[in-house]
Amino acid sequence: MAAEMKHEVVIGPNRREPVIPELIKYKELIYFFTWREFKIRYKEATLGVLWVILQPLLYMALVNFIIVQRLGRSFGDGSIPSGLLIFLGFILWQLFEPALSGTINSFLNNQGLFKKLYFPRIIPAIASIISRLVDFFIAFALLMLMGFIFGHPLPMLTYALLLPALLMLMLTGYGVGLILGSLNMWFRDIKQLVPFIMRLLFFGTPVIWPLDVVPESWQPFFFLNPAAAVIETMRQSWFDPSAIHWNWLILPFITMIVSLVVGTLLYKRVERDIVDLA
């Protein structure tokens, strides 16, 4: 496999091709990195891929106990068990966070390979996102099952919004990750800031707290965060579609487009020198 990979990817580092055609050309390499990412993440874990569903289940139980039972706050309008809405929010966050941090780390974790072979440097980042997408669908299948068990199956609107929601999470995380990962090639302090940024985003997103704890006049500001907009919209599509603020999705959409454009431009600036800067 290594010999085949080397034969396919050794291309002069000065060769420049449009991003999409080049990625199509290296589709087999994307598959290779995706499978490698998936195996590395779970090969040493005793429970393996079961952690994909155990983590959100444990999180759901903890948040439900502290926020709902002890503090008396509910997620949604009470028509859907809070635990299900917590689970939904957490598995969506589990897709957004790795898309962002995985893109940044892909520049750092593959430096040795970058120095030996040429291939599109964004392939490891894309593979990382795809592998997390597999995790998401495994957990989402469990959510569907729990919805039927508790008598609250997911409505058609939730399924209809699923693809746009996933694209917004993945593309925004990827775009912001490209920006920070590219800038980190010049300013190494950014690597140290990433954990703080991720924690700040996590606590600023209604994953472990319901949106109604925020004054209504302040809620639109939280929707500047695409992850918050997606999570709350998906929850509302389940318990009360009439509560969805469609206009609040405009700014997150703009954020996604801007981050992708700026991230791609920065990436193209550092692509040739990424090995020397690493």
Side-chain angles (χ1 to χ4, degrees), residues 10-75:
V10 175
I11 298 178
N14 292 324
R15 179 172 177 173
R16 304 296 292 270
E17 296 183 30
V19 175
I20 301 301
E22 192 174 26
L23 291 178
I24 294 175
K25 181 177 180 180
Y26 286 93
K27 58 183 181 296
E28 292 183 5
L29 193 59
I30 295 176
Y31 169 80
F32 170 80
F33 273 100
T34 301
W35 181 239
R36 188 193 71 161
E37 178 79 17
F38 200 79
K39 288 197 299 183
I40 290 176
R41 192 157 63 245
Y42 297 114
K43 72 174 182 178
E44 295 183 358
T46 303
L47 297 178
V49 75
L50 284 178
W51 280 111
V52 173
I53 58 178
L54 285 177
Q55 287 189 51
L57 282 174
L58 292 171
Y59 219 87
M60 177 185 72
L62 179 63
V63 175
N64 192 64
F65 176 76
I66 296 175
I67 304 297
V68 180
Q69 297 184 26
R70 292 299 179 182
L71 299 182
R73 308 295 307 207
S74 63
F75 288 72

Side-chain angles (χ1 to χ4, degrees), residues 68 168 205 224:
V68 180
M168 181 171 286
T205 303
L224 294 173

Side-chain angles (χ1 to χ4, degrees), residues 11 19 41 43 49 84 96 109 111 128 136 150 159 172 193 213 217 228 254 257 272:
I11 298 178
V19 175
R41 192 157 63 245
K43 72 174 182 178
V49 75
L84 296 179
F96 174 72
N109 297 339
Q111 292 176 5
S128 176
F136 172 83
F150 289 101
Y159 290 112
T172 304
L193 284 174
V213 303
S217 59
I254 294 174
I257 298 299
R272 284 185 176 181

